Amino acid sequence: MHIKNLIINTIIIFCFAVPLWAQDSEVKFSPKGGVYANALPVKLSCNNPDLQIRYTLNGATPDGSSTLYTSSLHLNAGMRSKSDIYKIPISPDNDPYRPDFYVPDSVIKGIVIRAAAFDQQGNRVSPVVTQSYFIKSLGCDIHGLPIVSICADSLSLFAHDTGILVPGDLYDPEDIDHTGNYAQSGREWERLINVEYYDDNNDGFNQMAGLRTHGGILARRSQQKGLKIYAREEYGKKNFKYKIFEESHLKKFKHLILRPYRNSCTSAGIHDWLSNQIAAPLKMGITASRPTALFLNGEYWGIYFIEEKVDERYLESHHGVNPDSVNIIAAWGALESGSSDDFFNLYYSLAAADLSDPVQYYHFSQRIDIPNIIDYFIFELFAANWDWPVNNVRCWQKPGGMWHWVFYDGDCCLDDDQFPIYENATYIGEITWPTAQWSTLFFRKLLESPTFKNQFLIRLEQLNKTCFSYKKTKPYLSKIQHTLREEIPHQVHRYNHPESLGNWEDACQKIDNFLAGREKGFWQQTTEFFNLGEESITSVKCYPNPASSGEILHIQVEAESDATPWLSVYDLNGRLIHCQYFFLQEGENSIPLNIGKRKGVYIVKVGDEKCKVIIL
């Protein structure tokens, strides 16, 4: 099977790899593809008058028998593809999670023209050029969303033996979680396509690329499948060159993901996008993302989010690492790129260590990016990700360097505010999805260190009052709701998911409720897990006392148990001049404090305990 696929791919690539001397015969379109208010004439031309131009309208590669171009093509409804590929069953009929293959009565269609130049003997002598047109007056209005248009020969997508979107030859109804053509990976299951991206003013890119399925088995066997596209020099261009994401400075990409709306855990469809927006200010990697409308051979394929692919090219772009040597690990040990040797060395040495020993903790703090992993853990907990930590993990390392974490896949975030986040993140039993002892090791072991626990709780409290506050998170939700609201009825009609605009609005309201109460709920879960409180503080002392102006004070606090108080400093008029949050351990704690060069008498308050300090 692999040999057959390789032969097919080689033939396809050969067909498109036209010699450079033939580039002068490339067919030109006027105007180029994009979104237009009304139908318009399209003119095809090439520099050699002795050649014929032939074209197709169904996404197929033109050949010597395709329609001969003789005069301008006046775009109209009759030029839309009649293949109706949306009716082809691309999901199993016994899927317990998504059992129904939904076939609408019709789909929105653009007009796809694929053209090439041929000699008098019918031999193609130019590259195939593809332009797609989306005419609002012909019913193709996607309400301002960018468009991704993919065109490919149908056999490479839907054929029983070679199609990558169908159950096909490799599907076993007794093993639906591991089989199917769409479940395959690797270069032999990459298919040649033309991909167009149209943004405002029809800016974007148009080029040949590779297409594969993407994601877990549910995303691959779903009717609205996860996809990824690859730019390769052998296809014509080695990058997708366009500034796709407003939140990113990057203007070129090697690989891109097309995440389907249906991947989200609810019919809101926006969990991953929203999670990445909220997580953006944190000290960890995220994936830039943007909602689009996807068309396949001119047929509407629903709402997708185009986003960065977390791989060696992503790390090259964001961190300047060598893509040929970077180590990338998934799922706490699954090798994605490079070598896993250093990770497993770290994992097993961490398992055997006693991190309550400051010396041992310091050793591991030189191998793990502590501020990064703290923010990573905090966000996964805040977002109540119920498809983690067994799943959806990515970390990376330059050879010999520290390990860093990237937030990856938020489809199951921001949904269940009652999810037992800390129990899930510290579980020590055998696997019980989504957790297992081997997947919680890093968090459990790091919490053995008082230094880490203190840093973790201080940072959590800070983020909870800033980045995670409803004032900060609500605008992101409002923005995506505004962006998608008019397009949701098209997604409803195409897949019956969500079932209605009202169903979508209800699902978004559930997210709104989560965000509105999460600051309070997250802190409550945290204080309960760590058994935190202020009432256990028994005494507060300051030294030196009196102190010189500008001198560092040391606040000695005695606590009967772990506590999380505010340390406040007031002048004798009762004015607050300084406040700071601390995590205290049971027993004696010493807190350094610098209140500047103020001279006078001050009251230092920790919890309900106070002391007086004189600054000379």
Side-chain angles (χ1 to χ4, degrees):
M1 174 61 68
H2 292 337
I3 294 176
K4 182 176 181 180
N5 287 341
L6 284 171
I7 293 173
I8 291 172
N9 274 349
T10 301
I11 293 172
I12 292 173
I13 292 171
F14 175 78
C15 290
F16 282 87
V18 178
L20 290 175
W21 58 264
Q23 301 297 313
D24 287 341
S25 301
E26 181 175 316
V27 176
K28 297 177 177 60
F29 283 66
S30 180
K32 294 182 177 180
V35 180
Y36 294 91
N38 298 298
L40 69 171
V42 175
K43 181 179 180 181
L44 310 185
S45 62
C46 73
N47 292 335
N48 190 335
D50 295 328
L51 299 178
Q52 300 175 334
I53 298 175
R54 295 185 178 272
Y55 66 92
T56 64
L57 298 173
N58 63 353
T61 301
D63 58 27
S65 63
S66 298
T67 304
L68 180 66
Y69 173 81
T70 56
S71 60
S72 294
L73 304 175
H74 292 269
L75 303 185
N76 59 72
M79 296 179 67
R80 296 180 293 203
S81 173
K82 298 176 177 60
S83 296
D84 290 341
I85 57 176
Y86 68 93
K87 297 178 180 179
I88 299 174
I90 60 174
S91 300
D93 56 12
N94 64 334
D95 190 334
Y97 296 99
R98 297 166 181 170
D100 299 323
F101 183 81
Y102 182 76
V103 181
D105 54 5
S106 62
V107 297
I108 300 168
K109 292 184 179 182
I111 298 172
V112 176
I113 304 174
R114 307 195 76 186
F118 294 80
D119 63 21
Q120 298 301 318
Q121 289 71 44
N123 301 307
R124 183 162 65 83
V125 295
S126 78
V128 175
V129 179
T130 305
Q131 298 287 346
S132 300
Y133 300 86
F134 305 94
I135 311 300
K136 294 181 181 180
S137 64
L138 296 179
C140 192
D141 184 355
I142 42 74
H143 305 104
L145 288 183
I147 286 179
V148 176
S149 178
I150 291 175
C151 293
D153 287 298
S154 291
L155 288 179
S156 67
L157 303 180
F158 304 111
H160 203 67
D161 55 349
T162 60
I164 64 171
L165 301 185
V166 294
D169 280 344
L170 299 182
Y171 177 68
D172 179 356
E174 302 299 320
D175 186 17
I176 67 173
D177 288 332
H178 303 95
T179 64
N181 290 13
Y182 43 62
Q184 308 309 305
S185 59
R187 188 68 180 271
E188 64 269 30
W189 287 94
E190 182 175 313
R191 298 293 179 260
L192 188 68
I193 63 166
N194 190 92
V195 58
E196 300 159 79
Y197 179 84
Y198 293 111
D199 203 344
D200 296 338
N201 301 315
N202 294 327
D203 294 331
F205 57 82
N206 182 341
Q207 64 193 75
M208 303 302 296
L211 177 72
R212 301 185 196 177
T213 54
H214 174 72
I217 190 61
L218 283 178
R220 290 169 182 254
R221 74 182 184 224
S222 173
Q223 186 176 0
Q224 192 177 16
K225 298 187 185 304
L227 303 169
K228 52 193 169 189
I229 54 177
Y230 293 78
R232 300 191 189 280
E233 193 168 9
E234 66 196 70
Y235 297 150
K237 295 180 180 179
K238 60 183 180 181
N239 292 293
F240 302 109
K241 290 187 177 181
Y242 185 70
K243 190 180 184 302
I244 300 173
F245 310 109
E246 61 180 351
E247 68 267 36
S248 173
H249 67 282
L250 298 180
K251 296 181 180 179
K252 65 178 183 178
F253 306 88
K254 189 71 175 175
H255 310 142
L256 290 166
I257 299 297
L258 295 170
R259 180 182 295 272
Y261 177 101
R262 188 157 186 160
N263 263 23
S264 277
C265 61
T266 76
S267 55
I270 60 175
H271 295 269
D272 180 72
W273 182 91
L274 185 56
S275 295
N276 278 286
Q277 296 296 310
I278 296 171
L282 277 61
K283 298 172 184 176
M284 63 176 182
I286 62 157
T287 51
S289 177
R290 187 173 186 182
T292 67
L294 177 66
F295 286 78
L296 186 57
N297 284 354
E299 298 185 14
Y300 183 72
W301 225 249
I303 297 171
Y304 275 72
F305 290 82
I306 189 169
E307 64 182 36
E308 296 174 285
K309 184 176 186 291
V310 180
D311 59 10
E312 63 275 15
R313 295 296 181 178
Y314 167 94
L315 297 172
E316 178 186 31
S317 297
H318 286 278
H319 300 284
V321 303
N322 183 345
D324 296 324
S325 63
V326 67
N327 301 322
I328 305 176
I329 299 295
W332 308 103
L335 181 63
E336 289 281 303
S337 181
S339 168
S340 60
D341 292 347
D342 189 88
F343 182 85
F344 280 115
N345 176 275
L346 171 65
Y347 185 96
Y348 290 116
S349 58
L350 184 66
D354 176 10
L355 268 64
S356 65
D357 177 0
V359 175
Q360 293 190 53
Y361 174 72
Y362 176 79
H363 167 74
F364 285 100
S365 71
Q366 302 306 297
R367 301 182 65 185
I368 298 170
D369 183 342
I370 296 297
N372 164 263
I373 202 170
I374 283 177
D375 278 16
Y376 173 76
F377 282 135
I378 289 174
F379 186 77
E380 294 284 7
L381 294 165
F382 160 81
N385 188 349
W386 52 261
D387 197 13
W388 176 88
V390 162
N391 198 27
N392 297 325
V393 177
R394 291 291 185 279
C395 61
W396 65 275
Q397 172 212 43
K398 295 180 182 179
M402 284 187 173
W403 283 93
H404 314 269
W405 273 256
V406 177
F407 174 68
Y408 176 79
D409 193 339
D411 281 325
C412 296
C413 291
L414 313 176
D415 175 54
D416 183 2
D417 58 4
Q418 298 302 308
F419 184 67
I421 53 174
Y422 285 104
E423 291 82 351
N424 185 64
T426 58
Y427 179 75
I428 57 173
E430 295 302 315
I431 188 167
T432 173
W433 197 269
T435 190
Q437 182 175 1
W438 53 264
S439 69
T440 64
L441 176 80
F442 274 75
F443 190 50
R444 287 186 290 106
K445 295 298 292 186
L446 288 168
L447 283 178
E448 292 178 358
S449 165
T451 301
F452 179 87
K453 186 190 292 187
N454 185 58
Q455 193 174 343
F456 174 85
L457 286 170
I458 291 174
R459 178 65 169 164
L460 187 153
E461 197 272 346
Q462 177 193 41
L463 290 175
N464 202 41
K465 290 183 176 295
T466 55
C467 298
F468 301 159
S469 69
Y470 187 54
K471 180 176 68 175
K472 291 289 188 180
T473 59
K474 172 65 173 179
Y476 296 123
L477 176 60
S478 298
K479 176 181 178 180
I480 194 64
Q481 286 180 282
H482 175 75
T483 301
L484 293 183
R485 180 171 278 106
E486 289 187 291
E487 185 61 21
I488 291 297
H490 287 167
Q491 171 75 20
V492 170
H493 183 261
R494 178 65 177 84
Y495 292 109
N496 196 35
H497 182 85
E499 295 180 356
S500 66
L501 179 61
N503 174 247
W504 177 73
E505 290 175 336
D506 289 344
C508 290
Q509 184 59 51
K510 184 182 179 183
I511 297 176
D512 196 337
N513 295 341
F514 178 98
L515 297 175
R518 191 55 181 160
E519 181 183 343
K520 180 179 179 181
F522 185 31
W523 186 244
Q524 181 177 344
Q525 288 178 297
T526 300
T527 55
E528 289 175 357
F529 178 76
F530 288 99
N531 193 27
L532 304 176
E534 296 188 353
E535 63 277 0
S536 65
I537 298 168
T538 58
S539 69
V540 176
K541 298 177 181 178
C542 301
Y543 64 91
N545 192 7
S548 300
S549 174
E551 186 174 3
I552 299 296
L553 299 174
H554 294 274
I555 313 302
Q556 184 174 317
V557 181
E558 191 78 22
E560 293 180 336
S561 63
D562 291 353
T564 56
W566 282 98
L567 184 154
S568 306
V569 181
Y570 299 87
D571 64 18
L572 291 181
N573 293 319
R575 291 177 298 190
L576 178 68
I577 65 168
H578 179 83
C579 62
Q580 190 170 346
Y581 173 81
F582 283 101
F583 168 68
L584 303 178
Q585 295 178 273
E586 179 182 352
E588 187 175 295
N589 299 263
S590 181
I591 303 169
L593 177 64
N594 184 357
I595 61 172
K597 297 182 178 182
R598 299 179 178 92
K599 296 180 180 181
V601 180
Y602 298 94
I603 304 299
V604 177
K605 180 180 180 182
V606 182
D608 292 329
E609 298 296 319
K610 303 175 184 177
C611 71
K612 184 184 294 184
V613 61
I614 301 172
I615 309 296
L616 300 177

